[in-house]
PDB file of all heavy atoms in Angstrom:
ATOM      1  N   LYS B 293     -19.309  31.291  -8.694  1.00  0.00           N
ATOM      2  CA  LYS B 293     -20.484  30.435  -8.516  1.00  0.00           C
ATOM      3  C   LYS B 293     -20.391  29.369  -9.598  1.00  0.00           C
ATOM      4  O   LYS B 293     -20.249  29.693 -10.776  1.00  0.00           O
ATOM      5  CB  LYS B 293     -21.766  31.238  -8.739  1.00  0.00           C
ATOM      6  CG  LYS B 293     -22.115  32.166  -7.611  1.00  0.00           C
ATOM      7  CD  LYS B 293     -23.590  32.572  -7.706  1.00  0.00           C
ATOM      8  CE  LYS B 293     -24.006  33.369  -6.501  1.00  0.00           C
ATOM      9  NZ  LYS B 293     -23.897  34.818  -6.684  1.00  0.00           N
ATOM     10  N   ILE B 294     -20.481  28.099  -9.177  1.00  0.00           N
ATOM     11  CA  ILE B 294     -20.364  27.006 -10.152  1.00  0.00           C
ATOM     12  C   ILE B 294     -21.491  26.026  -9.924  1.00  0.00           C
ATOM     13  O   ILE B 294     -21.791  25.677  -8.779  1.00  0.00           O
ATOM     14  CB  ILE B 294     -19.017  26.255  -9.984  1.00  0.00           C
ATOM     15  CG1 ILE B 294     -17.847  27.184 -10.305  1.00  0.00           C
ATOM     16  CG2 ILE B 294     -18.973  24.998 -10.838  1.00  0.00           C
ATOM     17  CD1 ILE B 294     -16.489  26.536 -10.150  1.00  0.00           C
ATOM     18  N   LYS B 295     -22.128  25.570 -11.012  1.00  0.00           N
ATOM     19  CA  LYS B 295     -23.053  24.438 -10.903  1.00  0.00           C
ATOM     20  C   LYS B 295     -22.590  23.378 -11.896  1.00  0.00           C
ATOM     21  O   LYS B 295     -22.414  23.665 -13.085  1.00  0.00           O
ATOM     22  CB  LYS B 295     -24.483  24.881 -11.212  1.00  0.00           C
ATOM     23  CG  LYS B 295     -25.426  23.697 -11.185  1.00  0.00           C
ATOM     24  CD  LYS B 295     -26.875  24.042 -11.024  1.00  0.00           C
ATOM     25  CE  LYS B 295     -27.613  22.711 -10.902  1.00  0.00           C
ATOM     26  NZ  LYS B 295     -28.979  22.783 -10.639  1.00  0.00           N
ATOM     27  N   THR B 296     -22.388  22.160 -11.409  1.00  0.00           N
ATOM     28  CA  THR B 296     -21.938  21.108 -12.324  1.00  0.00           C
ATOM     29  C   THR B 296     -23.128  20.587 -13.123  1.00  0.00           C
ATOM     30  O   THR B 296     -24.235  20.456 -12.603  1.00  0.00           O
ATOM     31  CB  THR B 296     -21.265  19.942 -11.580  1.00  0.00           C
ATOM     32  OG1 THR B 296     -22.242  19.263 -10.788  1.00  0.00           O
ATOM     33  CG2 THR B 296     -20.148  20.422 -10.688  1.00  0.00           C
ATOM     34  N   MET B 297     -22.884  20.317 -14.396  1.00  0.00           N
ATOM     35  CA  MET B 297     -23.952  19.908 -15.317  1.00  0.00           C
ATOM     36  C   MET B 297     -23.369  18.980 -16.386  1.00  0.00           C
ATOM     37  O   MET B 297     -22.159  18.961 -16.582  1.00  0.00           O
ATOM     38  CB  MET B 297     -24.526  21.148 -16.005  1.00  0.00           C
ATOM     39  CG  MET B 297     -25.389  21.984 -15.098  1.00  0.00           C
ATOM     40  SD  MET B 297     -26.319  23.182 -16.022  1.00  0.00           S
ATOM     41  CE  MET B 297     -25.128  24.457 -16.189  1.00  0.00           C
ATOM     42  N   PRO B 298     -24.249  18.269 -17.104  1.00  0.00           N
ATOM     43  CA  PRO B 298     -23.737  17.485 -18.230  1.00  0.00           C
ATOM     44  C   PRO B 298     -23.060  18.399 -19.256  1.00  0.00           C
ATOM     45  O   PRO B 298     -23.370  19.589 -19.327  1.00  0.00           O
ATOM     46  CB  PRO B 298     -25.010  16.848 -18.831  1.00  0.00           C
ATOM     47  CG  PRO B 298     -26.026  16.878 -17.743  1.00  0.00           C
ATOM     48  CD  PRO B 298     -25.708  18.104 -16.925  1.00  0.00           C
ATOM     49  N   HIS B 299     -22.154  17.843 -20.055  1.00  0.00           N
ATOM     50  CA  HIS B 299     -21.446  18.597 -21.090  1.00  0.00           C
ATOM     51  C   HIS B 299     -22.447  19.283 -22.020  1.00  0.00           C
ATOM     52  O   HIS B 299     -23.443  18.662 -22.377  1.00  0.00           O
ATOM     53  CB  HIS B 299     -20.568  17.628 -21.905  1.00  0.00           C
ATOM     54  CG  HIS B 299     -19.599  18.303 -22.800  1.00  0.00           C
ATOM     55  ND1 HIS B 299     -18.431  18.874 -22.347  1.00  0.00           N
ATOM     56  CD2 HIS B 299     -19.631  18.531 -24.139  1.00  0.00           C
ATOM     57  CE1 HIS B 299     -17.783  19.403 -23.365  1.00  0.00           C
ATOM     58  NE2 HIS B 299     -18.488  19.207 -24.463  1.00  0.00           N
ATOM     59  N   PRO B 300     -22.248  20.526 -22.421  1.00  0.00           N
ATOM     60  CA  PRO B 300     -21.054  21.355 -22.245  1.00  0.00           C
ATOM     61  C   PRO B 300     -21.054  22.187 -20.956  1.00  0.00           C
ATOM     62  O   PRO B 300     -20.351  23.194 -20.891  1.00  0.00           O
ATOM     63  CB  PRO B 300     -21.076  22.255 -23.480  1.00  0.00           C
ATOM     64  CG  PRO B 300     -22.540  22.442 -23.768  1.00  0.00           C
ATOM     65  CD  PRO B 300     -23.220  21.168 -23.349  1.00  0.00           C
ATOM     66  N   GLY B 301     -21.818  21.787 -19.963  1.00  0.00           N
ATOM     67  CA  GLY B 301     -21.771  22.485 -18.669  1.00  0.00           C
ATOM     68  C   GLY B 301     -20.467  22.189 -17.946  1.00  0.00           C
ATOM     69  O   GLY B 301     -19.613  21.441 -18.446  1.00  0.00           O
ATOM     70  N   PHE B 302     -20.312  22.738 -16.743  1.00  0.00           N
ATOM     71  CA  PHE B 302     -19.079  22.529 -15.992  1.00  0.00           C
ATOM     72  C   PHE B 302     -19.045  21.083 -15.479  1.00  0.00           C
ATOM     73  O   PHE B 302     -19.979  20.631 -14.818  1.00  0.00           O
ATOM     74  CB  PHE B 302     -18.978  23.523 -14.821  1.00  0.00           C
ATOM     75  CG  PHE B 302     -17.631  23.454 -14.169  1.00  0.00           C
ATOM     76  CD1 PHE B 302     -16.568  24.161 -14.697  1.00  0.00           C
ATOM     77  CD2 PHE B 302     -17.411  22.637 -13.068  1.00  0.00           C
ATOM     78  CE1 PHE B 302     -15.294  24.063 -14.133  1.00  0.00           C
ATOM     79  CE2 PHE B 302     -16.151  22.536 -12.504  1.00  0.00           C
ATOM     80  CZ  PHE B 302     -15.094  23.252 -13.036  1.00  0.00           C
ATOM     81  N   PRO B 303     -17.983  20.326 -15.766  1.00  0.00           N
ATOM     82  CA  PRO B 303     -17.982  18.886 -15.452  1.00  0.00           C
ATOM     83  C   PRO B 303     -17.902  18.576 -13.952  1.00  0.00           C
ATOM     84  O   PRO B 303     -17.056  19.145 -13.251  1.00  0.00           O
ATOM     85  CB  PRO B 303     -16.742  18.341 -16.173  1.00  0.00           C
ATOM     86  CG  PRO B 303     -15.939  19.508 -16.586  1.00  0.00           C
ATOM     87  CD  PRO B 303     -16.772  20.754 -16.493  1.00  0.00           C
ATOM     88  N   THR B 304     -18.751  17.669 -13.513  1.00  0.00           N
ATOM     89  CA  THR B 304     -18.745  17.247 -12.104  1.00  0.00           C
ATOM     90  C   THR B 304     -17.377  16.709 -11.687  1.00  0.00           C
ATOM     91  O   THR B 304     -16.963  16.886 -10.540  1.00  0.00           O
ATOM     92  CB  THR B 304     -19.836  16.179 -11.840  1.00  0.00           C
ATOM     93  OG1 THR B 304     -19.654  15.654 -10.534  1.00  0.00           O
ATOM     94  CG2 THR B 304     -19.803  15.038 -12.826  1.00  0.00           C
TER      95      THR B 304
END
Side-chain angles (χ1 to χ4, degrees):
K293 285 198 173 94
I294 295 179
K295 176 161 185 175
T296 67
M297 286 193 277
H299 192 77
F302 188 84
T304 171

